[in-house]
Amino acid sequence: MSGNRRVVFGSDHAGFALKGELVKAAREAGHQVDDVGPLQDVSVDYPDYARMVSEAVAQGRADLGVLVCGTGIGMSISANKFKGVRAALCRTELEARMARAHNDANVLCLGQRISGPGLARAILDAFLAAGFEGGRHATRVDKIRAQER
Ligand code: RB5
């Protein structure tokens, strides 16, 4: 992983440990990292952290976001409520690459209880390295935007 993207991270308690590992890896790779928390392993509600990360991405304060909870499901449901956010729950590197290339996903959701740290790091690498292909995919993403309420 190497790059200089502005990446904002958030989690709940069930994603806290994995978030810490991914934040460290992203910083070491040279990305500009913002960790909205939690900063201690205490019980919190995932929609609160999904909101902070989603707003940072939607408002252009970050290029990409990463959200980690137990399964990644609650984070992805929450993040996709925000206009301008296209959150993808990814279990494989291929999904992460395709989510960027075809869907222009701007938030990656991961589940600490689902994906081990090595795989999660590889998924993050793939997500940060890939770019949107545009073309016919841009037409479709424009339709997603047009359907936002
Ligand atoms: C927390 O126990 C858990 O429900 C949460 O992290 C997440 O998996 C929800 O989707």
Side-chain angles (χ1 to χ4, degrees), residues 12-15 46 69-75 113:
D12 69 358
H13 51 285
Y46 58 81
C69 64
T71 60
I73 295 171
M75 286 299 197
R113 293 172 179 158

Side-chain angles (χ1 to χ4, degrees), residues 70-142:
T71 60
I73 295 171
M75 286 299 197
S76 60
I77 292 171
S78 301
N80 277 316
K81 297 294 182 192
F82 291 82
K83 198 168 181 177
V85 169
R86 289 175 299 282
L89 172 58
C90 297
R91 310 296 200 209
T92 65
E93 291 173 67
L94 176 63
E95 288 171 304
R97 188 156 48 77
M98 297 305 284
R100 290 285 302 124
H102 285 198
N103 312 115
D104 200 17
N106 49 16
V107 173
L108 170 66
C109 300
L110 292 162
Q112 179 180 299
R113 293 172 179 158
I114 308 295
S115 305
L119 177 57
R121 163 117 187 229
I123 293 170
L124 176 63
D125 286 354
F127 190 79
L128 296 181
F132 182 45
E133 287 178 7
R136 68 187 191 281
H137 305 299
T139 307
R140 294 158 186 164
V141 172
D142 285 345

Side-chain angles (χ1 to χ4, degrees), residues 12-96:
D12 69 358
H13 51 285
F16 178 78
L18 180 57
K19 170 174 69 72
E21 293 193 33
L22 298 178
V23 161
K24 184 167 176 284
R27 281 203 176 111
E28 285 171 2
H31 294 287
Q32 193 180 308
V33 171
D34 182 19
D35 182 353
V36 300
L39 301 178
Q40 298 174 55
D41 193 357
V42 291
S43 182
V44 297
D45 298 330
Y46 58 81
D48 297 331
Y49 291 86
R51 177 180 52 76
M52 287 188 265
V53 165
S54 297
E55 287 179 347
V57 171
Q59 293 168 9
R61 287 182 279 117
D63 301 314
L64 297 169
V66 180
L67 286 165
V68 190
C69 64
T71 60
I73 295 171
M75 286 299 197
S76 60
I77 292 171
S78 301
N80 277 316
K81 297 294 182 192
F82 291 82
K83 198 168 181 177
V85 169
R86 289 175 299 282
L89 172 58
C90 297
R91 310 296 200 209
T92 65
E93 291 173 67
L94 176 63
E95 288 171 304

